[in-house]
Amino acid sequence: MGDHLTPEAKAQLITRNLQEVLGEDKMMDILKEKHLRIYWGTATTGKPHVAYFVPMSKIADFLKAGCEVTILFADLHAYLDNMKAPWDLLELRTRYYEQVIQAMLQSIGVPLERLRFIRGTEFQLSKEYTLDVYKLSSVVTQHDAKKAGAEVVKQVEHPLLSGLLYPGLQALDEEYLKVDAQFGGVDQRKIFTFAEKYLPALGYAKRIHLMNPMVPGLTGGKMSSSEEESKIDLLDSPSDVKKKLKKAFCEPGNAENNGVLSFVRHVLFPLKSEFVILRDEKFGGNKTYTDFETLEKDFIEQLVHPGDLKASVEKALNKLLDPIREKFNNPEMKKLCSDAYPDSSKQKTVAKGTAKNSGSEEIHPSLLDLRVGKVLSVSHHPDADTLYVESVDVGEENPRCVVSGLVKYVPADQLLGRSVVVLCNLKPQKMRGIESQGMLLCASKEGQQRQVEPLDPPADSAPGERIYVEGYENGEPEGELKPKKKVFENLQVDFKISDGFFAQWKGKNIVTKLGPVTCKTLQGGSIS
């Protein structure tokens, strides 16, 4: 496959819908001589969801272009990244990934025999690889290792050494898998440039890097395993798919951060080269589109209704999911799924009981899970003029969806990219149909016109860094605040902005390890 194509035609297939390519000239030189060897890796952590069809459709493109493709199940990486996959579950989760990724590829018509599948632990524990890890650690600075993993490795207040090793291992994989190029999301860019800098230091060639854009989830932010409303699980029933798509952010005429439209662009069009909008005859009947640009233009001009777009995506998506559901609808696969991702509700029940009987009922600020967040995207709530829907990185595997009533007070462009203070352990709640998984803390001051301003963490704070009240840094936050106990409400009355513009609780500064949390202008304001 691909032998009849010119190098230029192969390059067009390889790069279509990508956001960025590093080393395009080198890629063209290789394509004139031989097939390009590419690998895509996935850490075996949370359950894959429908956004995984985006890299799968690119893998189909690579095969059409005659590329030799390796899929790496990065089991060791999954453990190194703050133990997102506990060691005792690593083997089970890797087996689950192998089964579900292969089922996805089969559902879009990719011949598995033309792919090479490999686990990281099959070569990353060898004597040669281990020696190269030591060699790499002798030339890589701590700063570069931390910077490389900033967008991928979970960022926490006290990072583990394992997270610093992660980028180096991903760089070495390029050499040990004997590939010309690595493919991944644009969130991997810092690791890719890290590899380009440090592999030559070990005498290895610099590789080509192919990057997909980050596809918005159904709520408008990144599609996330931890953000239930933002993603559709591969094993969701047709009724669940319908329910989640019905709630999806799809504002009439708005193509920005539109997860439904993005799914059509990055998955459905590349697979079929056409897409049919299903609609009633009285509205013009079905319409077939042969290119995404025309569909997007018609959507922006409101010639395509969001309800028709969702119904059409629902039908096409269920067609992709049916063979995956069928594969997992047997006792063996069901057991693998439940063993790899055990229900933790029983453990939580035990933990709740212990907490209830062992500790004081005193309410103190360490019960609050306050973290530094970075606002990755901001959009207007489709059903509420006063609300923003934000995607906020709080140092977890995926961003959280946060709904805030800031439209009247803070322009969207002043929120985008801003570091903020996020209360992360409030019980998630629906705000006009969209679930909010946190709260941005702001200072406010009443007057003729109410003023509201988000709190500012110290400069250079990383998403996920813990925020605490001085003197309460050793306490453990609650897993989820119980609404009936009104923990935040009781503490909130003593949150103030000092005369020196510091955020405080009962006169004690609210801080991170880098310094105090502040407010630019609202001296004496309250915090909520």
Side-chain angles (χ1 to χ4, degrees):
M1 190 179 287
D3 291 337
H4 64 289
L5 298 175
T6 65
E8 291 74 19
K10 290 179 182 179
Q12 193 279 327
L13 259 179
I14 291 167
T15 61
R16 73 167 171 175
N17 285 335
L18 294 183
Q19 182 165 322
E20 188 176 2
V21 177
L22 299 178
E24 195 159 4
D25 290 342
K26 183 177 180 181
M27 180 182 73
M28 289 305 304
D29 290 340
I30 292 172
L31 289 173
K32 290 172 185 175
E33 301 293 330
K34 62 184 182 74
H35 296 314
L36 192 70
R37 295 169 299 179
I38 302 175
Y39 103 83
W40 173 72
T42 179
T44 53
T45 53
K47 279 186 181 180
H49 45 75
V50 296
Y52 278 64
F53 275 117
V54 178
M56 298 302 104
S57 70
K58 278 311 300 174
I59 287 169
D61 279 347
F62 298 154
L63 291 177
K64 289 173 189 173
C67 299
E68 298 173 14
V69 181
T70 296
I71 292 180
L72 169 67
F73 296 106
D75 48 355
L76 197 54
H77 283 79
Y79 180 71
L80 289 175
D81 188 2
N82 273 277
M83 295 181 287
K84 285 180 183 173
W87 193 260
D88 57 332
L89 295 178
L90 205 56
E91 165 68 19
L92 290 164
R93 290 197 178 172
T94 304
R95 281 171 49 202
Y96 180 83
Y97 263 70
E98 288 171 339
Q99 293 294 332
V100 84
I101 294 294
Q102 290 181 20
M104 292 181 77
L105 289 163
Q106 287 173 316
S107 82
I108 62 174
V110 172
L112 298 185
E113 64 273 10
R114 298 195 57 233
L115 294 165
R116 173 192 177 206
F117 296 94
I118 188 169
R119 295 186 182 191
T121 47
E122 290 179 38
F123 64 93
Q124 290 167 345
L125 300 177
S126 69
K127 177 182 175 182
E128 295 77 14
Y129 189 98
T130 303
L131 183 57
D132 270 343
V133 172
Y134 286 133
K135 286 180 180 177
L136 200 58
S137 68
S138 72
V139 295
V140 174
T141 65
Q142 179 185 358
H143 171 270
D144 282 2
K146 185 176 181 181
K147 180 182 175 183
E151 303 294 327
V152 176
V153 178
K154 182 178 180 181
Q155 301 298 298
V156 294
E157 184 181 2
H158 301 294
L160 300 175
L161 179 60
S162 59
L164 299 178
L165 293 175
Y166 189 111
L169 268 65
Q170 189 167 333
L172 287 173
D173 291 345
E174 296 179 347
E175 173 64 24
Y176 279 80
L177 292 172
K178 302 301 177 188
V179 296
D180 305 307
Q182 183 178 173
F183 165 60
V186 74
D187 59 337
Q188 305 267 340
R189 193 182 196 282
K190 290 178 181 176
I191 290 182
F192 291 166
T193 55
F194 172 93
E196 292 188 7
K197 177 179 178 179
Y198 282 107
L199 278 189
L202 270 62
Y204 298 139
K206 184 165 72 171
R207 266 56 179 198
I208 300 154
H209 294 102
L210 311 169
M211 284 167 271
N212 251 349
M214 302 310 293
V215 176
L218 300 180
T219 54
K222 177 181 170 185
M223 197 174 287
S224 156
S225 294
S226 62
E227 193 178 307
E228 189 62 31
E229 293 296 324
S230 85
K231 57 97 181 182
I232 294 171
D233 190 87
L234 295 168
L235 303 180
D236 274 349
S237 67
S239 61
D240 285 336
V241 171
K242 181 184 286 291
K243 181 174 68 174
K244 289 180 179 180
L245 278 172
K246 188 176 181 181
K247 294 178 181 177
F249 175 75
C250 193
E251 189 175 54
N254 183 4
E256 294 296 316
N257 291 317
N258 188 322
V260 182
L261 206 55
S262 293
F263 191 78
V264 177
R265 176 178 186 172
H266 292 285
V267 177
L268 300 179
F269 257 112
L271 294 177
K272 297 291 185 182
S273 299
E274 67 174 34
F275 182 69
V276 180
I277 290 291
L278 307 171
R279 57 188 177 191
D280 197 285
E281 287 295 334
K282 65 183 178 182
F283 298 118
N286 296 352
K287 183 171 181 179
T288 300
Y289 289 89
T290 55
D291 65 275
F292 175 76
E293 290 71 23
T294 305
L295 171 61
E296 183 179 45
K297 179 174 177 288
D298 281 0
F299 184 82
I300 291 170
E301 294 176 359
Q302 299 193 37
L303 300 175
V304 173
H305 190 273
D308 293 333
L309 178 64
K310 289 180 179 183
S312 307
V313 169
E314 179 189 340
K315 181 177 180 180
L317 180 54
N318 276 318
K319 192 172 180 181
L320 292 177
L321 295 179
D322 280 342
I324 303 172
R325 295 176 183 129
E326 184 177 352
K327 177 174 181 173
F328 277 79
N329 191 28
N330 67 64
E332 183 184 355
M333 289 294 103
K334 286 179 179 179
K335 185 176 187 304
L336 174 60
C337 184
S338 62
D339 288 349
Y341 298 94
D343 183 358
S344 59
S345 59
K346 291 182 180 179
Q347 295 172 325
K348 288 179 181 176
T349 301
V350 172
K352 288 175 185 175
T354 305
K356 185 175 180 179
N357 296 326
S358 63
S360 167
E361 291 296 316
E362 179 190 357
I363 292 177
H364 47 81
S366 59
L367 295 173
L368 304 179
D369 183 3
L370 295 171
R371 298 184 222 166
V372 175
K374 183 174 182 180
V375 180
L376 304 179
S377 68
V378 184
S379 59
H380 286 269
H381 193 297
D383 298 318
D385 293 339
T386 61
L387 300 179
Y388 284 133
V389 179
E390 303 124 3
S391 175
V392 184
D393 181 358
V394 291
E396 297 172 335
E397 181 180 1
N398 295 291
R400 292 196 184 199
C401 176
V402 178
V403 181
S404 302
L406 296 175
V407 172
K408 292 181 181 178
Y409 308 106
V410 185
D413 61 353
Q414 290 183 20
L415 273 180
L416 186 62
R418 181 174 185 150
S419 289
V420 291
V421 175
V422 185
L423 178 56
C424 292
N425 59 343
L426 287 175
K427 184 177 180 179
Q429 68 177 69
K430 292 282 182 67
M431 298 183 71
R432 297 294 294 273
I434 295 180
E435 185 175 80
S436 183
Q437 298 178 316
M439 182 171 76
L440 302 192
L441 290 194
C442 298
S444 62
K445 215 170 182 181
E446 303 302 329
Q448 286 187 338
Q449 270 196 323
R450 188 171 188 249
Q451 297 172 278
V452 178
E453 182 182 309
L455 299 182
D456 291 313
D460 299 322
S461 296
E465 281 190 25
R466 188 183 170 207
I467 297 172
Y468 52 89
V469 174
E470 286 180 323
Y472 292 87
E473 54 267 35
N474 295 323
E476 284 295 318
E478 289 266 297
E480 183 177 281
L481 298 177
K482 309 299 180 292
K484 289 183 179 179
K485 288 188 177 181
K486 298 189 179 298
V487 173
F488 178 70
E489 291 83 351
N490 284 314
L491 293 169
Q492 185 264 333
V493 295
D494 293 307
F495 281 117
K496 303 288 181 188
I497 302 298
S498 73
D499 290 343
F501 298 98
F502 297 119
Q504 296 183 335
W505 180 77
K506 289 189 174 180
K508 296 178 182 290
N509 284 348
I510 301 170
V511 300
T512 75
K513 63 181 181 181
L514 296 179
V517 173
T518 58
C519 170
K520 289 185 178 67
T521 64
L522 300 185
Q523 184 184 55
S526 59
I527 298 173
S528 58

